[in-house]
């Protein structure tokens, strides 16, 4: 088949017969030639919802940037499945020039599922710019509510010193919800550069929720760089101990410590064997560290 056969393939999609639809989709995936994506885009407005969703998926798979306007139009379709397909295609079509539009859409999104999809498109566009966090930082001061929270999440995914400083400033906000949102963003940071800030927040947070979010985020930081020496990881867990407020905090630390196969980690976990609140978790952690594990991992050796 060639580009001239696109209408025939779409007609087969409309037929709804499962095997025929599967074959037509496979054919459309490998067709190429001048005007192919334009033919697909032109068919979308007149298609049924199910076929629209299939064609939008196809445009995404074919990275049909020339049909971005068609896909954007479909994000307002009355059918939820069509809107979802359009949003999922966006990351494959946007370029650097589309970053401002994606940020506008992100702040205007009305439900979390929609925000998640637009955020992926925004990240895809921003990463094609020379300074990915810059566009986000330029609109952050005027953003409010859920839209502002989404921008902070984007900064966490992009990283960088300027982005980190902006999110750290948000942790000083007088608004408790804004503080918690910014702490969650730090906990999801793309690298471990947010670890010192999270440790400080875990120690000093007045609200229990913020303390727990910061501690969880800090423990996640320890596991991020696979090349981190085990001794350094154990030291970070010792710092985490300084923030402990409850048995649940100790359980969080033990849970993370179990991934560090080193005698220092085993000794640190063994400190809790006499703590009635967490002794079962401590014993399980020592066993996990010291004994052979799944996939051929060996246990610790020596006294």
């Amino acid at each position: 088949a060639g580009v001239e056969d696109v209408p025939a393939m779409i007609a087969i999609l409309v037929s709804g017969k499962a095997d025929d639809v599967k074959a037509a989709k496979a054919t459309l995936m490998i067709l190429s030639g001048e005007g192919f994506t334009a033919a697909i885009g032109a068919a979308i407005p007149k298609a049924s919802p199910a076929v629209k969703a299939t064609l939008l998926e196809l445009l995404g798979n074919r990275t049909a940037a020339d049909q971005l306007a068609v896909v954007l139009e479909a994000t307002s379709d009355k059918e939820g499945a069509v809107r979802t397909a359009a949003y999922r295609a966006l990351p494959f079509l946007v370029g650097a020039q589309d970053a401002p539009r994606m940020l506008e859409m992100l702040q205007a999104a009305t439900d979390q599922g929609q925000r998640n999809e637009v955020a992926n498109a925004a990240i895809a566009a921003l990463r094609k710019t020379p300074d990915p966090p810059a566009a986000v930082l330029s609109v952050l001061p005027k953003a409010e509510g859920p839209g502002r929270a989404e921008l902070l999440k984007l900064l966490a995914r992009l990283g960088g010193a300027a982005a980190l400083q902006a999110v750290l400033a948000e942790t000083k906000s007088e608004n408790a919800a804004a503080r918690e949102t910014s702490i969650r963003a730090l906990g999801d940071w793309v690298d471990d550069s947010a670890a010192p800030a999270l440790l400080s927040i875990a120690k000093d947070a007045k609200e229990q929720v913020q303390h727990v979010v910061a501690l969880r985020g800090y423990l996640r930081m320890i596991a991020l760089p696979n090349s981190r020496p085990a001794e350094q990881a154990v030291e970070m867990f010792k710092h985490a101990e300084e923030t402990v407020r409850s048995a649940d905090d100790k359980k969080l630390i033990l849970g993370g410590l179990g991934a560090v196969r080193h005698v220092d980690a085993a000794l640190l976990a063994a400190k809790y064997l006499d703590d009635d609140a967490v002794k079962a978790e401590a014993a399980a952690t020592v066993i996990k560290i010291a004994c052979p594990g799944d996939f051929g991992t060996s246990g610790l050796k020596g006294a």
Side-chain angles (χ1 to χ4, degrees), residues 30-209:
I30 61 174
L31 282 181
S32 61
E34 186 177 351
F36 170 74
T37 54
I40 297 296
I44 288 176
K46 299 172 285 186
S48 67
V51 174
K52 279 184 182 180
T54 297
L55 296 178
L56 288 164
E57 178 187 358
L58 182 67
L59 289 178
N61 289 338
R62 299 295 292 267
T63 60
D66 61 313
Q67 296 303 305
L68 177 60
V70 174
V71 176
L72 285 171
E73 180 69 23
T75 61
S76 301
D77 196 276
K78 63 181 181 180
E79 295 289 338
V82 176
R83 293 196 302 273
T84 297
Y87 280 121
R88 288 180 178 173
L90 281 179
F92 304 99
L93 311 184
V94 293
Q97 71 279 1
D98 302 308
R101 174 73 181 274
M102 294 301 104
L103 293 176
E104 289 176 9
M105 289 178 61
L106 180 60
Q107 294 176 80
T110 54
D111 68 76
Q112 193 56 53
Q114 191 181 90
R115 292 187 190 107
N116 293 341
E117 299 291 357
V118 181
N120 290 334
I123 286 290
L126 289 164
R127 284 180 174 155
K128 295 175 182 176
T129 65
D131 185 0
V136 183
L137 294 171
S138 69
V139 299
L140 183 64
K142 295 182 180 179
E144 298 178 348
R148 187 178 184 87
E150 292 303 318
L151 294 180
L152 294 174
K153 292 179 185 178
L154 285 187
L155 292 175
R157 294 172 68 178
L158 294 169
L164 182 58
Q165 290 306 311
V167 179
L168 285 174
E170 197 80 2
T171 65
K172 308 290 195 299
S173 171
E174 295 182 1
N175 183 294
R179 290 197 302 275
E180 185 175 330
T181 297
S182 60
I183 295 169
R184 289 187 185 279
L186 289 175
D188 290 331
W189 209 256
V190 69
D191 56 37
D192 65 348
S193 59
L198 287 164
L199 183 63
S200 177
I201 293 168
K203 286 180 180 177
D204 302 332
K206 295 179 181 178
E207 294 90 350
Q208 179 64 12
V209 171

